[in-house]
Amino acid sequence: MSLKGRSIATLQEFSPHEIDLVIDRCFELKKRWREGERRSSILEGKYVCMLFEKPSTRTRIAFEVAASSLGAYPIYASASETQLARGEAISDTARVLSGMADCIIARVRSHRTIEELVKYSTIPVINGLSDLHHPTQALTDVFTMFEVKGRRKLKVAFIGDGGANTCHSLLICCSKLGLDMAVACPSEFKPKSDVLALALKNAEKSGSKIEVVEDPMAAVDGADVVYTDVFVSMGFEGERERRMRVFLPKYQVNKRLLEHASSDYIFMHCLPAHRGEEVTDDVIDDPEHSAVWVQSENKLHMARAILSLLA
Ligand code: CP
Ligand code: NVA
């Protein structure tokens, strides 16, 4: 089965088998990277356009290194320095980039922009984060869970902003693959109802248990993976004060909360972290349980897997 030419907007458009193929490729490419492979020619002569409306450390570097290591040439364009900033239509931009490059990685403010790019491009478009979804992160995260905990049914607890892009994408990815997921969040920061509906529908097929609760201890109970993200995602800075009042102290991931997790739990965070807010230093720096550094390295291996299969 070939995934060549496919776009990734939310991951809902991928079957569990197709997601498994991406994860298999990631295992293979990480092994090769570990064995010293830094250069292959499978994407020789291809151009990867990276159109970013928001800052990025991990996603940008991962895809730039990934593209170069596979023989492709990455071109980074901050959207603010393109004609998009002066009002050029996304549909026109999509057509123009399709004539010059072989793949687009886009990080955007509004998920509508991803949908427009996918609609008007004739080359694959990879969502590198929107306000609603972060699918390449969820693929990285599930790969990391399988790598560290084994490829089996796991319980994932997500604590904090249930409406965050990371939580949405994990809901979709976990429910497709049969992983259980419990989201603990305040009532006004629940996952979007349409995303939750998709996850529940996926779960009916895969056998996942998906739940949304308010009590973090109930979500963490027996969890193999405890995951959090910032309380104030990019684009929501104006809500900072209100969010801090609602999320703290109840939704902070600290050692006290983790007493309820499985004894061999791993802690995960997409990063960047706001230490002292959604997570304490002793949790993120815990050498026994924190998987955040291997998780961040895995963004590179997943970027290589995605580009090698789709571009
Ligand atoms: N996790 C993640 O997407 O990080 P960046 O914002 O640094 O790309
Ligand atoms: N939810 C965070 C993820 C950053 C990688 C944000 O959108 O800012």
Side-chain angles (χ1 to χ4, degrees):
M1 178 192 285
S2 171
L3 301 178
K4 261 312 156 227
R6 294 277 297 276
S7 292
I8 304 179
T10 68
L11 275 186
Q12 184 59 26
E13 64 275 39
F14 279 65
S15 69
H17 178 59
E18 289 168 339
I19 295 175
D20 275 336
L21 286 181
V22 179
I23 290 171
D24 289 345
R25 174 59 66 94
C26 193
F27 273 109
E28 178 195 331
L29 290 186
K30 181 165 184 178
K31 182 166 173 283
R32 286 209 236 148
W33 186 267
R34 282 283 150 88
E35 288 164 358
E37 178 184 282
R38 290 293 181 277
R39 194 86 192 160
S40 82
S41 55
I42 60 169
L43 296 184
E44 199 64 54
K46 297 212 173 189
Y47 295 86
V48 175
C49 179
M50 304 182 43
L51 189 61
F52 277 45
E53 292 183 339
K54 289 175 173 177
S56 169
T57 300
R58 282 143 286 265
T59 309
R60 173 181 176 174
I61 307 296
F63 274 98
E64 288 203 32
V65 173
S68 301
S69 73
L70 295 169
Y73 190 91
I75 302 119
Y76 178 83
S78 163
S80 63
E81 291 167 15
T82 68
Q83 297 288 10
L84 284 168
R86 294 180 56 253
E88 185 168 15
I90 286 288
S91 51
D92 292 349
T93 306
R95 290 180 179 108
V96 170
L97 297 182
S98 297
M100 297 180 177
D102 299 284
C103 179
I104 299 171
I105 316 294
R107 171 166 286 204
V108 300
R109 281 186 286 273
S110 161
H111 190 72
R112 279 285 304 155
T113 304
I114 294 289
E115 291 171 347
E116 292 269 292
L117 282 171
V118 171
K119 183 170 173 191
Y120 291 101
S121 296
T122 55
I123 56 177
V125 175
I126 313 294
N127 178 358
L129 181 146
S130 68
D131 55 341
L132 296 182
H133 296 278
H134 199 359
T136 66
Q137 183 68 49
L139 287 169
T140 302
D141 298 339
V142 169
F143 169 77
T144 306
M145 292 173 201
F146 287 161
E147 184 189 33
V148 179
K149 301 293 298 175
R151 212 159 172 173
R152 59 183 173 90
K153 193 170 182 70
L154 295 164
K155 178 181 175 183
V156 181
F158 184 99
I159 312 299
D161 182 3
N165 40 24
T166 42
C167 182
H168 284 165
S169 290
L170 278 171
L171 276 168
I172 289 181
C173 201
C174 289
S175 63
K176 288 244 173 195
L177 297 185
L179 303 183
D180 295 341
M181 185 164 164
V183 179
C185 55
S187 58
E188 63 242 76
F189 292 103
K190 283 191 180 147
K192 266 180 81 81
S193 54
D194 54 341
V195 175
L196 186 59
L198 288 174
L200 290 169
K201 203 160 154 234
N202 296 338
E204 272 175 32
K205 285 196 201 149
S206 70
S208 295
K209 186 175 172 201
I210 302 290
E211 43 180 351
V212 179
V213 297
E214 283 196 33
D215 179 7
M217 279 188 269
V220 164
D221 187 40
D224 303 293
V225 178
V226 179
Y227 197 116
T228 190
D229 186 5
V230 290
F231 295 143
V232 186
S233 283
M234 291 181 277
F236 295 89
E237 290 80 2
E239 298 179 7
R240 184 174 170 79
E241 269 183 36
R242 178 167 79 96
R243 284 172 173 257
M244 286 303 131
R245 270 200 311 274
V246 174
F247 285 111
L248 284 174
K250 186 169 171 184
Y251 293 94
Q252 182 183 73
V253 177
N254 52 40
K255 286 285 183 186
R256 206 157 11 96
L257 178 63
L258 289 166
E259 281 169 15
H260 300 269
S262 160
S263 57
D264 58 353
Y265 75 87
I266 56 169
F267 170 73
M268 295 181 72
H269 191 310
C270 58
L271 304 179
H274 278 206
R275 289 164 176 260
E277 292 182 9
E278 75 277 3
V279 60
T280 52
D281 285 336
D282 55 351
V283 168
I284 196 169
D285 293 329
D286 180 350
E288 194 185 339
H289 294 285
S290 176
V292 297
W293 311 122
V294 66
Q295 181 186 3
S296 68
E297 179 193 321
N298 284 343
K299 295 211 45 144
L300 166 64
H301 306 302
M302 185 49 76
R304 276 163 49 83
I306 290 168
L307 286 178
S308 72
L309 288 169
L310 275 60

